[in-house]
Amino acid sequence: MLTYHDKPSSQGVENAIRRAKQLACLSYTPILPLPIVEKIRKADGSSANAETYSSAWLPRQGLLYSSVRRHETYIGYNISLETFFSALTNPNSVVYQKPITGTGQNVHNYYGIVCSCYASYCLNLHYRTNCARWPSIPGIHKVDTSALENIQLADVVLNVKKHIAVVTDIERDADGKVYFIHVSESTLPFIRTTRFTPEEFRNYWLQDGYEVYHYDGVKDVPYTPDPFAPVEGDPTLPVPFINRSLMPDFGNKANYRKGEQPVEISVFEAGCEQVEVTDPDGKKTLLPVENGFVRLVPDKVGLYEAACVRKEGHSEPVCWCVTDFEVTADKETYRFGEEIGLTFRNPAEDPILGWVYVRKDTDKGAGSGWLDLRQKEGTVTIPGPLQGGEIILRLVAKNDFGCYISRQITVEIEAP
């Protein structure tokens, strides 16, 4: 059967598909065993997550899955591809040396992406949005799947209690009948794209409680080519530079929280005995290299650079940013469903994009929402989480290196 691939209905739809391919077709090679999670399924339908490792020097395709809500280090929103790739080159980086273990959940690597974050990235949502909130996004509406011909490119396949995926290709015959639907999803252990026949699509997705949604805002989705994730049709970009002289443990161009996250720089350049660190005020400090490392606890907010000191000149620098985003609640205990009043202060004056709730006892998500605040400090009221117990609350801001979280606070929500 000769089939024809659907053409995007707008530039925004094409951009959404290209964004999906950036992360689904991403190629990279870990230099050490890479912490990942595999889902072990049994014949009776039950499953369990297994913390395991992908082999060193085994090339991988598709970004790795890891539900990093504990640190809010999602690739695509919080962590750039440059930061991720530079961390991969450092054997002492967080992607190898700080696995998140013992939760029994779908998390192992310090960096990663999940289904809702991937779909949010593809459709360029304001910030990552969990599955339960997708039907309430302005411009989202359900698609009638009694005829699969109603499905369009960049529609999402959603079960609000389970999972979300993105339609990235549709093949039809000359009369417009659907013969194949390609679905891209962030799932354990790596993002994948699968080609479904109509029968397979209905049984795998629709018979399992999934529905298809269209997002009207897809027509406005932008796209920026990235040299770390080339997609067919992108312009030729210079080969990305990765610093081989020294590298921070978070990778190049990462955010660190002041006083909470010390900076550990691995020094690889032979003969380098000192590293020059330049702080946000331009002050330069020489620090000794001890056993291949320089460790420091920056005390100023802003951009830092570090370079190896040579007999003549310096190496190319690496950089990072230190944040100090504070938030307090107007009280410690709230009734179930009661709004929460917050006071915030961020000397960087970066835009605030939203809030994130996490259950303290289980480390599971407890809700999130969007904000659009542009002031350095002030107050804001947000909806309370629809769960009782101790809830960790963080606000999310954004700078040139990505989204970053405030210092976390814990509030008590009375049981309903």
Side-chain angles (χ1 to χ4, degrees):
M1 169 61 66
L2 181 63
T3 60
Y4 302 86
H5 296 267
D6 275 13
K7 293 183 179 180
S9 60
S10 67
Q11 185 61 54
V13 171
E14 180 177 341
N15 291 343
I17 302 304
R18 298 180 80 81
R19 291 168 73 96
K21 289 180 178 179
Q22 278 184 317
L23 304 189
C25 302
L26 189 71
S27 297
Y28 54 98
T29 304
I31 62 173
L32 290 179
L34 187 69
I36 61 171
V37 176
E38 296 269 14
K39 184 173 287 294
I40 310 301
R41 292 181 173 85
K42 299 179 181 179
D44 63 3
S46 63
S47 64
N49 294 330
E51 296 171 354
T52 183
Y53 290 81
S54 179
S55 298
W57 297 107
L58 175 65
R60 306 301 325 202
Q61 180 171 299
L63 201 55
L64 76 163
Y65 188 110
S66 189
S67 184
V68 288
R69 66 175 67 91
R70 179 182 299 183
H71 304 288
E72 207 68 14
T73 47
Y74 290 96
I75 302 169
Y77 277 95
N78 310 96
I79 306 299
S80 70
L81 290 179
E82 178 177 355
T83 301
F84 174 62
F85 271 82
S86 59
L88 283 173
T89 68
N90 179 3
N92 306 306
S93 76
V94 293
V95 299
Y96 303 117
Q97 302 301 334
K98 287 191 177 180
I100 301 170
T101 61
T103 68
Q105 299 182 47
N106 50 1
V107 55
H108 198 194
N109 205 290
Y110 197 86
Y111 290 162
I113 194 167
V114 294
C115 64
S116 57
C117 187
Y118 177 58
S120 300
Y121 176 84
C122 293
L123 298 186
N124 193 44
L125 296 191
H126 186 66
Y127 190 58
R128 72 171 186 89
T129 301
N130 59 32
C131 294
R133 285 195 59 236
W134 271 77
S136 63
I137 295 173
I140 284 279
H141 54 86
K142 195 179 300 183
V143 174
D144 177 8
T145 54
S146 60
L148 297 186
E149 285 69 28
N150 294 330
I151 298 175
Q152 302 178 54
L153 293 177
D155 285 352
V156 297
V157 187
L158 171 67
N159 182 318
V160 294
K161 296 181 179 180
K162 291 183 178 180
H163 187 51
I164 188 171
V166 182
V167 175
T168 48
D169 194 7
I170 301 173
E171 298 179 57
R172 307 176 193 256
D173 66 11
D175 296 322
K177 181 180 179 181
V178 170
Y179 270 78
F180 298 103
I181 299 175
H182 299 237
V183 179
S184 298
E185 56 181 326
S186 178
T187 188
L188 296 173
F190 303 100
I191 293 177
R192 70 186 182 196
T193 300
T194 307
R195 186 193 201 209
F196 293 90
T197 66
E199 180 183 24
E200 292 165 343
F201 184 86
R202 287 190 180 281
N203 282 281
Y204 187 82
W205 295 105
L206 302 185
Q207 296 302 317
D208 194 29
Y210 285 81
E211 297 174 310
V212 177
Y213 288 81
H214 180 77
Y215 175 48
D216 292 337
V218 69
K219 67 182 185 301
D220 301 316
V221 170
Y223 174 74
T224 302
D226 192 309
F228 290 93
V231 174
E232 184 179 2
D234 282 355
T236 301
L237 299 174
V239 176
F241 171 74
I242 299 291
N243 200 315
R244 306 293 178 173
S245 296
L246 71 172
M247 186 62 62
D249 55 340
F250 281 17
N252 196 34
K253 299 182 181 179
N255 288 305
Y256 291 77
R257 287 190 300 281
K258 177 183 173 183
E260 293 184 10
Q261 296 173 313
V263 180
E264 180 182 273
I265 301 173
S266 296
V267 179
F268 305 111
E269 182 168 311
C272 176
E273 297 180 352
Q274 289 183 313
V275 167
E276 182 179 83
V277 175
T278 305
D279 75 11
D281 297 326
K283 179 182 177 181
K284 299 182 184 297
T285 304
L286 291 177
L287 298 176
V289 177
E290 299 179 354
N291 299 317
F293 294 96
V294 169
R295 297 178 176 88
L296 64 156
V297 182
D299 59 358
K300 297 179 183 178
V301 173
L303 180 66
Y304 287 75
E305 287 191 349
C308 288
V309 177
R310 297 168 174 167
K311 291 183 179 179
E312 296 182 1
H314 297 73
S315 70
E316 289 292 325
V318 291
C319 60
W320 66 91
C321 185
V322 173
T323 67
D324 191 20
F325 183 11
E326 296 181 348
V327 59
T328 56
D330 55 6
K331 54 184 179 178
E332 296 180 354
T333 302
Y334 295 83
R335 299 186 308 276
F336 185 83
E338 182 182 2
E339 293 184 329
I340 296 178
L342 301 174
T343 299
F344 61 87
R345 183 196 66 84
N346 189 356
E349 207 167 350
D350 293 321
I352 300 172
L353 303 188
W355 74 88
V356 178
Y357 291 127
V358 176
R359 287 188 61 91
K360 188 173 182 179
D361 56 349
T362 64
D363 202 36
K364 292 184 177 181
S368 62
W370 297 349
L371 294 169
D372 188 11
L373 302 175
R374 303 284 170 157
Q375 62 265 39
K376 181 177 181 179
E377 56 187 42
T379 59
V380 65
T381 300
I382 62 176
L386 297 180
Q387 297 187 30
E390 285 189 294
I391 302 293
I392 295 172
L393 164 64
R394 309 178 181 107
L395 292 183
V396 180
K398 183 179 182 180
N399 61 17
D400 290 342
F401 291 171
C403 300
Y404 61 92
I405 55 175
S406 67
R407 298 176 185 274
Q408 69 181 35
I409 60 173
T410 301
V411 295
E412 179 75 25
I413 308 299
E414 295 177 348

